[in-house]
Amino acid sequence: MSTTYRDALREALREALTRDQRVFLMGEDVGRYGGSYAVSKGLLAEFGEERIRDTPLSESAFVGAGIGAALNGMLPIVEVMTCNFSLLALDQIVNNAATIRHMSGGQFSIPLVIRMATGAGRQLAAQHSHSFEGWYAHIPGIRIVTPATLEDARGMLWTALMDPDPVIIFENAMLYNLEGELAPDAGAVDIDRAVVRRAGQDLTLVTYGGSLGKTLEAAAQLAGQGVSAEVIDLRTLRPLDMATVLGSLAKTHRMVIVDEGWKSGSLAAEIMARVMEQAFYDLDAPIARVCSLEVPIPYPKHLEDAAIPQVATIVESALRTAARHG
Amino acid sequence: MTLDRALARSLLKDMLRIRRFEEKCAELYSAGKIRGFLHLYIGEEAVAAGALRAFGPDDAILATYREHGHALVRGIPAGAVMAEMYGKAEGCSRGRGGSMHIFDAKTRFYGGNAIVAGGLPLAAGFALADKLMRRPRVTACFFGEGAVAEGEFHESLNLAELWKVPALFLCENNLYAMGTALDRSEADTDLCEKARSYKVPARSVDGMDVVAVMDATARAAAEVRAGGGPQFLEFRTYRFRAHSMFDAELYRSKAEVEQWKPRCPILTFTNRLKMEGLIDDPGLAAIEAEVADEIAKAVAFAEAGSWEPVENLARHVYTEAA
């Protein structure tokens, strides 16, 4: 059936709310407004105010309340409007959600799911456009997932809820309108493994989230120029599935990483470092990275476009990497 | 509440357990057995001893990094608390938390939070869960008056009242946020007013009077449990010792501390009980002996404890497969 990323997310929420009475959704404007990206539209009428809870603009309090409710037997889903606003709840996420299990000697589980929008591309300027999933992936004690397809939008939520530890789902805001076919019986998917989205021989393009579509488009253009690119969708940024990445590299011996985060200290940097540590001698050329430029994302379209990875920059970087001799 | 002999003895004993336990902790700190930060509750014992009686085993307790007293009164074995101070694997948090992070699932004791005000949002969520599940439980959240300056205090009280959740916010006002006096950090030092501005019923209580603490908390907890929404209690108390073992106390005078000493909750309560004929010197000596025995056993338990093997370092970051 034909659907969108947004509808797939909503279907996942509906399924979770139906399957388990411990599940509830809270966040800013998730109820009457229907969600700032309309993901939860209609759920208030279906499930009522107790389970679809509008919150004040108090990110720290309602994220913390999600942690407390999870510690006290619930399966909360907390929506933070965008990851930019999640910084107001960073204390709760880092000092409580990610830490309490270890600090208590393993006594307590926090089966919390936090959903947040991420990414640039809608001319919303710096305070609405950043990508912090790589940052969050730095923190032990939480799991970071980045659905990039309709199947993952539909299937990651339930698996995340069943995980006894906190999971943050980063939804790239440019994907909400993504349309495509989804099997009517689509359901839960794993949140452990990276996936090869396109097979290839000459080089490996590693990406996730909002950059997957651009990277697949780049791979299609590369094929027209005689370069066969394999595309890996990381899906989960923490813990990283390096086996899939290294498996591909063992075949192609060349790699470009596409990551909408800033380059310095980025997830792309982490992947490069791990390849150096674990598979240096598999490389026929230096790894290249296509990341966001090190500027706060600007408002005008031409500057915003230039600041983040694009099909053309991916193609260019891939061609250079494919042509380099070790 | 009228005091009978058993209750009087129990209240006094709880305060003495905290006092003697912490005196021992200070000694063990100097001996290098306890490291890191050690925040003593000495002077404030009436709050934990009086307040925690209002809560049953199904209620949840959240506390701060100055929580040894709450942990002991809540019923976490003194040995497990002391072993935690030592960092031993037999500690209630397997040694991973130390003095500031006492956790115990059995007594529903959820820390031991060292981020000022960090527990308040959790408390709102704990209480929300109970409300959603129709459980007649109360979440008790202790914090110091320093937390009132944090945004999380304001966000959490507003959220708790907006949703009418069964949370009891228990503010231990010892007048100093580390070294910053309340009137040097708050434009309005009336803490109850701040709670009331969110329509949360609030009362100020003499935190040096264990009976006053007990009565006020019992009443507030009953109202919260009955579904009346959250409440706020301010306990006016005083910390006799330094903020932590690293504190040279440059911010307050010795004279000020001495002025508070006659209000010591153990001293005044003991005097009262003697006057009312509820305890005598042999009775007091018997309590001291019981407490000394409990602490000696706790220290022995901690001393005999083991160090977590380094191979286990990375455990408990994520749930382990069953």
Side-chain angles (χ1 to χ4, degrees):
Chain A
M1 62 181 193
S2 182
T3 189
T4 65
Y5 186 90
R6 172 184 291 108
D7 290 343
L9 288 169
R10 186 184 308 119
E11 214 33 54
L13 287 168
R14 185 177 282 125
E15 181 200 10
L17 286 155
T18 305
R19 274 175 85 162
D20 197 315
Q21 285 301 306
R22 295 172 299 169
V23 175
F24 68 99
L25 172 70
M26 65 175 160
E28 292 154 355
D29 279 324
V30 298
R32 289 199 187 186
Y33 191 97
S36 58
Y37 294 98
V39 171
S40 52
K41 199 171 170 191
L43 297 183
L44 175 62
E46 196 173 341
F47 295 98
E49 286 193 342
E50 274 213 334
R51 301 183 70 201
I52 307 296
R53 309 187 72 89
D54 281 321
T55 65
L57 280 70
S58 304
E59 285 81 1
S60 196
F62 69 74
V63 169
I67 299 166
L71 278 163
N72 202 9
M74 305 298 284
L75 296 175
I77 303 168
V78 176
E79 177 178 310
V80 179
M81 204 177 280
T82 86
C83 69
N84 306 275
F85 311 160
S86 79
L87 304 187
L88 291 160
L90 206 50
D91 164 53
Q92 288 297 326
I93 296 170
V94 179
N95 285 317
N96 284 335
T99 308
I100 282 177
R101 167 174 290 282
H102 187 81
M103 201 162 61
S104 68
Q107 291 184 74
F108 298 110
S109 294
I110 302 177
L112 166 72
V113 171
I114 303 172
R115 299 172 39 239
M116 51 180 96
T118 185
R122 290 157 302 130
Q123 288 195 259
L124 298 179
Q127 292 176 341
H128 283 73
S129 301
H130 290 148
S131 296
F132 290 129
E133 52 273 18
W135 251 29
Y136 279 101
H138 178 66
I139 301 157
I142 51 179
R143 182 184 283 268
I144 306 299
V145 302
T146 54
T149 64
L150 298 179
E151 287 77 15
D152 283 350
R154 176 66 182 82
M156 280 183 160
L157 179 72
W158 182 255
T159 315
L161 274 172
M162 291 297 101
D163 192 302
D165 300 315
V167 179
I168 308 182
I169 302 177
F170 284 88
E171 302 162 2
N172 188 289
M174 295 303 284
L175 295 176
Y176 287 122
N177 290 328
L178 178 72
E179 282 181 66
E181 290 297 314
L182 185 65
D185 62 347
V189 297
D190 81 273
I191 53 170
D192 299 309
R193 290 191 303 277
V195 164
V196 175
R197 297 287 183 199
R198 178 191 174 109
Q201 297 296 325
D202 299 334
L203 88 164
T204 301
L205 303 176
V206 177
T207 191
Y208 67 88
S211 298
L212 175 64
K214 295 175 186 173
T215 307
L216 286 168
E217 171 60 26
Q221 290 187 17
L222 287 163
Q225 300 183 52
V227 174
S228 164
E230 181 145 302
V231 177
I232 292 179
D233 174 6
L234 290 169
R235 301 180 67 244
T236 295
L237 306 190
R238 186 180 189 98
L240 274 172
D241 171 15
M242 283 306 289
T244 299
V245 173
L246 297 179
S248 176
L249 182 71
K251 182 171 65 173
T252 65
H253 305 290
R254 290 165 197 267
M255 182 174 289
V256 174
I257 305 165
V258 184
D259 175 3
E260 203 179 306
W262 291 301
K263 188 177 273 186
S264 298
S266 60
L267 189 90
E270 176 63 26
I271 293 168
M272 285 178 95
R274 292 195 193 195
V275 171
M276 298 306 162
E277 288 168 344
Q278 298 168 32
F280 181 74
Y281 296 105
D282 277 346
L283 288 169
D284 281 351
I287 302 174
R289 287 184 285 170
V290 182
C291 295
S292 282
L293 299 189
E294 313 246 343
V295 294
I297 302 295
Y299 161 68
K301 179 143 179 42
H302 69 294
L303 293 181
E304 181 182 47
D305 284 349
I308 64 175
Q310 301 294 355
V311 174
T313 50
I314 300 167
V315 168
E316 189 188 346
S317 182
L319 286 174
R320 235 184 355 252
T321 300
R324 279 187 77 146
H325 297 285
Chain B
M1 190 185 286
T2 46
L3 277 180
D4 63 32
R5 194 173 293 270
L7 177 60
R9 187 180 200 278
S10 173
L11 286 167
L12 182 59
K13 184 174 174 181
D14 274 346
M15 289 196 287
L16 279 166
R17 289 173 71 219
I18 302 170
R19 177 72 56 96
R20 303 292 176 246
F21 183 90
E22 292 206 323
E23 285 168 350
K24 178 54 84 176
C25 287
E27 192 185 310
L28 291 165
Y29 197 91
S30 302
K33 297 284 189 181
I34 299 173
R35 298 280 80 192
F37 279 131
L38 177 69
H39 306 94
L40 299 180
Y41 194 56
I42 287 173
E44 306 183 39
E45 295 93 338
V47 178
L52 280 160
R53 282 163 196 274
F55 310 107
D58 288 338
D59 296 332
I61 314 296
L62 290 89
T64 71
Y65 52 86
R66 196 182 304 283
E67 86 289 34
H68 315 137
H70 311 74
L72 292 175
V73 175
R74 181 60 177 173
I76 307 178
V81 178
M82 188 61 87
E84 188 59 34
M85 315 279 252
Y86 272 60
K88 296 282 182 81
E90 289 75 12
C92 53
S93 304
R94 296 196 63 82
R96 280 170 162 77
S99 161
M100 296 188 285
H101 305 300
I102 309 276
F103 285 86
D104 184 54
K106 205 182 288 176
T107 58
R108 307 202 76 222
F109 196 86
Y110 294 90
N113 198 315
I115 306 297
V116 173
L120 279 89
L122 299 185
F126 266 87
L128 173 63
D130 288 333
K131 180 170 176 158
L132 289 174
M133 301 309 272
R134 314 281 188 266
R135 297 182 291 226
R137 296 178 180 174
V138 175
T139 296
C141 182
F142 291 90
F143 53 93
E145 90 289 345
V148 172
E150 296 279 2
E152 288 183 323
F153 168 85
H154 299 270
E155 291 190 10
S156 300
L157 262 71
N158 178 56
L159 196 65
E161 177 63 28
L162 184 71
W163 290 349
K164 292 275 181 201
V165 298
L168 184 48
F169 295 100
L170 302 165
C171 179
E172 305 180 310
N173 179 6
N174 67 15
L175 300 176
Y176 290 93
M178 208 163 109
T180 303
L182 184 62
D183 60 9
R184 294 186 62 239
S185 63
E186 287 294 312
D188 178 358
T189 57
D190 185 339
L191 305 184
C192 287
E193 258 327 289
K194 295 173 200 290
R196 287 189 199 111
S197 76
Y198 300 105
K199 295 190 185 289
V200 175
R203 245 186 96 194
S204 187
V205 180
D206 179 359
M208 304 305 264
D209 178 346
V210 69
V211 176
V213 171
M214 177 179 70
D215 288 348
T217 314
R219 197 173 89 182
E223 288 170 7
V224 169
R225 198 182 304 280
Q231 293 202 20
F232 173 90
L233 291 177
E234 175 200 13
F235 301 114
R236 297 194 171 188
T237 183
Y238 197 75
R239 160 168 64 68
F240 289 171
R241 297 290 189 103
H243 167 75
S244 75
M245 303 306 275
F246 299 117
D247 169 15
E249 294 190 74
L250 302 174
Y251 50 85
R252 64 181 186 184
S253 68
K254 285 201 167 58
E256 181 188 299
V257 181
E258 288 310 311
Q259 271 174 2
W260 276 86
K261 288 276 173 76
R263 294 187 58 195
C264 166
I266 296 174
L267 179 72
T268 55
F269 191 57
T270 305
N271 288 342
R272 172 182 165 180
L273 297 187
K274 282 184 176 173
M275 221 155 62
E276 293 180 11
L278 288 168
I279 203 158
D280 53 17
D281 284 334
L284 191 58
I287 296 176
E288 288 280 15
E290 288 168 26
V291 169
D293 182 57
E294 182 185 8
I295 291 165
K297 285 182 174 142
V299 173
F301 179 81
E303 286 284 342
S306 56
W307 300 110
E308 179 104 40
V310 173
E311 305 83 75
N312 290 349
L313 172 60
R315 287 188 60 193
H316 307 307
V317 177
Y318 294 96
T319 303
E320 293 169 8

